[in-house]
């Protein structure tokens, strides 16, 4: 075990194990303990996540102004970058501020995964009998009934749509020009927008699919964690920046908008 692994084991994995053990003993239910542990950890991480969410909202709100700067300084990448930095500074936005919170959350996720994956076996090794049943599920085994994987995937889809920028387009090149050079540039802009939207949509649906597959393959306890942490994120995202693009996609569902 290298120094980093030893550090993570000492600072994160062992404390998380002990907290989960305490909650399991106090509640008498492994599933409830996982939910409580997840809520506790996400609450502790709020000081890291809230600045990131607020920064993301500001970035989305400034998108039209950023597009105006690109149009104003078209062809001069240095001026565009300088103008963007001045705009960010004026609105107290640090584009790099979101990196550290995501790194911290990722490390915590890995630590929690390691605890949940081996909790039942490790608890038994120290003489603790864990009742791993939670409603109709055995949290120590994968849920092949697909209930937990489907709930995990759907909740991840909702969160992905909320985080996704709105579906609006920002045309920087006029569509009604008769100049061939401008028309060609407009076609290129349209192709770029369509490519970006396609990639965004692919990511929106890829994440839920991956979440469902992971929840299907690994112990159901990890799926319960994933559902809980995603639900927490949805509430947090809604409170900070509202439904995001979820509203746009909701309106596109045929049977929802029948008159």
């Amino acid at each position: 075990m290298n120094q980093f692994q030893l550090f993570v084991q000492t600072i994160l994995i062992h404390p998380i194990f002990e907290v989960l053990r305490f909650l399991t003993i106090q509640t008498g239910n492994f599933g409830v303990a996982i939910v409580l542990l997840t809520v506790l950890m996400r609450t502790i991480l709020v000081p890291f996540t809230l600045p990131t969410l607020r920064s993301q909202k500001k970035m989305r709100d400034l998108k039209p102004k950023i597009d105006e700067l690109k149009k104003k300084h078209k062809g001069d990448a240095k001026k565009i970058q300088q103008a963007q930095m001045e705009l960010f500074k004026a609105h107290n936005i640090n584009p790099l501020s979101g990196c550290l919170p995501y790194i911290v959350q990722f490390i915590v996720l890995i630590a929690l995964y390691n605890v949940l994956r081996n909790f039942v076996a490790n608890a038994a090794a120290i003489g603790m009998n864990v009742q791993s049943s939670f409603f109709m599920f055995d949290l120590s085994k994968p849920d092949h009934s697909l209930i937990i994987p489907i709930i995990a995937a759907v909740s991840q889809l909702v969160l992905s749509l909320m985080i996704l920028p709105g579906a609006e387009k920002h045309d920087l090149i006029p569509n009604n020009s008769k100049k061939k050079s401008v028309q060609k540039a407009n076609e290129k802009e349209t192709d770029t927008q369509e490519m970006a939207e396609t990639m965004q949509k692919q990511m929106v649906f890829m994440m839920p699919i991956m979440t469902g597959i992971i929840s299907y393959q690994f112990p159901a306890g990890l799926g319960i964690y994933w559902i809980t942490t995603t639900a927490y994120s949805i509430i947090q995202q809604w409170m900070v920046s509202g439904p995001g693009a979820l509203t746009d996609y909701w309106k596109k569902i045929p049977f929802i908008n029948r008159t």
Side-chain angles (χ1 to χ4, degrees), residues 77-226:
K78 187 175 180 179
K79 284 188 176 181
I80 292 175
Q81 185 179 13
Q82 184 179 355
Q84 284 182 346
M85 293 307 297
E86 290 175 355
L87 181 65
F88 293 155
K89 186 177 180 180
H91 289 81
N92 197 27
I93 297 176
N94 182 0
L96 301 178
S97 62
C99 297
L100 180 59
Y102 280 121
I103 293 173
V104 171
Q105 291 179 68
F106 180 73
I107 293 174
V108 171
L109 173 62
I110 296 298
L112 184 57
Y113 161 74
N114 278 277
V115 171
L116 291 176
R117 185 183 62 176
N118 303 309
F119 181 78
V120 176
N122 290 339
I126 59 174
M128 178 183 172
N129 184 23
V130 178
Q131 297 296 326
S132 58
S133 60
F134 183 61
F135 292 103
M136 57 182 290
F137 310 107
D138 183 350
L139 300 186
S140 66
K141 299 177 181 178
D143 171 31
H144 290 166
S145 71
L146 297 180
I147 296 175
I148 289 179
I150 288 175
I151 295 176
V154 171
S155 59
Q156 181 61 54
L157 175 61
V158 171
L159 179 61
S160 297
L161 290 175
M162 291 178 69
I163 295 174
L164 186 69
E168 72 275 3
K169 292 183 179 181
H170 302 281
D171 283 337
L172 304 181
I173 302 172
N175 298 329
N176 55 359
S177 176
K178 295 182 179 181
K179 293 182 179 180
K180 290 185 178 180
S181 60
V182 176
Q183 289 177 350
K184 188 175 180 179
N186 184 265
E187 290 176 2
K188 185 177 180 180
E189 178 192 41
T190 302
D191 292 340
T192 302
Q193 287 182 341
E194 290 178 353
M195 184 183 300
E197 289 175 5
T198 300
M199 291 178 65
Q200 286 179 340
K201 290 177 181 178
Q202 287 176 347
M203 287 303 298
V204 163
F205 292 102
M206 279 301 295
M207 276 300 294
I209 291 172
M210 290 173 61
T211 299
I213 292 173
I214 292 172
S215 299
Y216 178 80
Q217 292 180 335
F218 290 97
L222 191 64
I224 294 297
Y225 157 75
W226 200 272

Side-chain angles (χ1 to χ4, degrees), residues 55-71:
S55 179
Q56 289 174 347
K57 184 178 185 301
K58 287 181 179 179
M59 291 284 283
R60 286 197 296 269
D61 293 341
L62 287 178
K63 185 66 167 62
K65 291 186 178 181
I66 293 174
D67 288 340
E68 289 177 8
L69 292 177
K70 291 179 179 178
K71 182 178 180 180

